[in-house]
Amino acid sequence: MGESGKEATRLEELEEAQAEVDIWKYVFGYTEIAAVKCAIELGIPDVLEGQEHPVTLSQLCSILNCSPSFLYRIMRFLVHCNVFKQQSMSDGSIGYVQTPISRRMTKSGDRNMTAFILLEGSPPMLAPWHGLSSRVLANGSPAFKSTHGEDVWSYAAANPAHSELIDNAMACDARVAISAIVNGCPEIFEGISTLVDVGGGNGTALGLLVKAFPWIKGINFDLPHVASVAPARDGITHVGGDMFKSVPQADAAFIMWVLHDWGDDECIEILKRCREAIPKEKGKVIIVEAVVNEGDREDDMLEHVRLMLDMVMMAHTNKGKERTLKEWENVILEAGFTHYTVKSIPAVQSVIEAYP
């Protein structure tokens, strides 16, 4: 056997050895999600965040009223996963402290993603994953609808607690994405006096935009059962309605993480209603959505998240998907827009400005 053959054999052996390790990720992969959800529900990140010094196991047990043996095993696992850290204390004992990732699991803070984790880890959202293979079949039915008998939006309308969980989860991402937009491309809001947020949920995103650009009058537009319980916010009017029928008029329409929930035909209809709501001469629609790179930017650390989101769309929506730039171009032009621009921001999403 030549050197090239030996090298190929060594590579195969290394791949086999790695496979022996990696296969367990798919056997027990859910354990990380479950343990993190457990920590959030117990309030461990919030306890650690409020302490000046490392917190011992006994202190954690006392504060949270937990079983020492069980809590120790949870903490041991999450320390191994780098969710929390251990620190030695002056008396020789071991205490736990926060990490950048666990700080995103508190119930407050501008970058917390707690509600998003709790939404995706909730029984209604986990159950459809068991029907993913059926969804992929040629005549497969939507996984969420097959599981619950209705689509995710009808389910949310009939279950206020789940609707609130969705709104809170979207608010988590909004705080991250809007900060990236405000800091990265504030010029896109110049000259806009009125802005309608289409599918704006509880108004978190629009509230942040109005705060950053106080000359804007905001209209938070969503389904009636969502808009009716949205909290009052300065500079914002909440309006209920159906985006497939009409959108309130404004200088510009803002639509973030809504279009990926729908198929191309539905996206085109929504964008048409948005185009009708803005001035033809100077109006625009600001689309904040993921743009799948298809290998164009291998250094993009968020690309894996976009591809995971595409799987989420397959599990949780009827026709939703994450789109490539070419796919976005198709729906934008089909909706009657003449041109568009794309801006990258340090977030999962990009900013697409579509012009009539």
Side-chain angles (χ1 to χ4, degrees):
M1 182 183 294
E3 285 301 316
S4 61
K6 292 179 180 178
E7 182 62 28
T9 299
R10 283 194 293 268
L11 181 59
E12 289 177 3
E13 290 173 349
L14 288 172
E15 289 176 341
E16 285 292 338
Q18 188 63 48
E20 289 290 343
V21 176
D22 289 346
I23 191 62
W24 291 103
K25 294 190 299 184
Y26 304 103
V27 176
F28 296 125
Y30 180 70
T31 55
E32 291 187 26
I33 300 170
V36 163
K37 185 169 181 279
C38 172
I40 289 172
E41 290 173 340
L42 292 174
I44 297 171
D46 297 283
V47 171
L48 298 185
E49 185 70 7
Q51 305 296 323
E52 295 183 5
H53 305 289
V55 179
T56 65
L57 181 69
S58 61
Q59 289 171 328
L60 264 183
C61 289
S62 177
I63 294 169
L64 300 174
N65 191 30
C66 287
S67 159
S69 61
F70 288 137
L71 185 59
Y72 167 73
R73 290 160 64 185
I74 289 287
M75 295 303 293
R76 178 177 63 182
F77 179 68
L78 291 177
V79 166
H80 180 78
C81 295
N82 297 315
V83 174
F84 301 114
K85 283 184 181 179
Q86 286 185 171
Q87 281 189 3
S88 297
M89 303 172 70
S90 57
D91 62 358
S93 60
I94 298 296
Y96 301 103
V97 297
Q98 291 278 62
T99 65
I101 187 68
S102 66
R103 287 193 176 94
R104 288 164 170 78
M105 299 174 185
T106 60
K107 292 184 173 65
S108 61
D110 291 341
R111 301 185 69 83
N112 91 80
M113 295 289 281
T114 298
F116 218 145
I117 295 171
L118 294 178
L119 170 67
E120 296 301 331
S122 67
M125 300 304 261
L126 286 175
W129 287 102
H130 294 288
L132 190 61
S133 57
S134 297
R135 179 71 180 104
V136 178
L137 295 174
N139 296 313
S141 300
F144 192 97
K145 190 173 183 178
S146 295
T147 302
H148 298 292
E150 54 191 343
D151 66 23
V152 65
W153 312 119
S154 299
Y155 183 89
N159 294 272
H162 192 71
S163 179
E164 182 180 8
L165 198 54
I166 291 174
D167 290 339
N168 290 340
M170 295 304 98
C172 284
D173 177 73
R175 286 188 286 267
V176 176
I178 297 301
S179 175
I181 294 170
V182 169
N183 294 320
C185 46
E187 68 280 357
I188 67 176
F189 297 97
E190 292 176 0
I192 296 176
S193 298
T194 54
L195 180 69
V196 56
D197 186 355
V198 181
N202 63 14
T204 296
L206 191 56
L208 293 170
L209 288 173
V210 169
K211 183 178 180 180
F213 310 111
W215 61 83
I216 293 178
K217 178 183 178 181
I219 304 167
N220 183 53
F221 180 63
D222 212 310
L223 292 167
H225 77 272
V226 176
S228 64
V229 296
R233 299 180 189 273
D234 292 339
I236 294 177
T237 301
H238 298 293
V239 177
D242 184 345
M243 63 185 174
F244 288 100
K245 295 180 179 179
S246 66
V247 170
Q249 293 188 341
D251 292 338
F254 181 87
I255 185 164
M256 181 171 73
W257 260 14
V258 171
L259 297 175
H260 72 166
D261 293 326
W262 303 94
D264 289 352
D265 291 342
E266 291 87 354
C267 278
I268 291 167
E269 286 303 310
I270 295 167
L271 288 172
K272 282 181 177 179
R273 303 292 84 79
C274 291
R275 181 169 56 82
E276 293 168 356
I278 60 175
K280 186 175 181 180
E281 299 77 18
K282 62 175 183 178
K284 64 180 175 181
V285 177
I286 303 165
I287 303 166
V288 183
E289 289 277 5
V291 178
V292 176
N293 296 318
E294 289 194 328
D296 295 336
R297 291 169 55 195
E298 294 182 1
D299 62 332
D300 189 341
M301 293 187 292
L302 289 171
E303 183 65 5
H304 184 62
V305 181
R306 298 183 187 104
L307 295 176
M308 286 195 292
L309 274 169
D310 191 44
M311 297 297 99
V312 173
M313 293 302 104
M314 195 182 298
H316 290 164
T317 70
N318 290 358
K319 300 179 182 178
K321 62 179 179 179
E322 302 304 331
R323 292 175 169 85
T324 64
L325 185 56
K326 182 63 177 177
E327 289 173 320
W328 280 119
E329 179 179 285
N330 289 340
V331 297
I332 289 169
L333 297 183
E334 283 292 323
F337 294 88
T338 60
H339 62 289
Y340 67 93
T341 62
V342 182
K343 293 181 172 68
S344 294
I345 56 174
V348 175
Q349 306 96 321
S350 295
V351 179
I352 305 171
E353 295 173 89
Y355 298 89

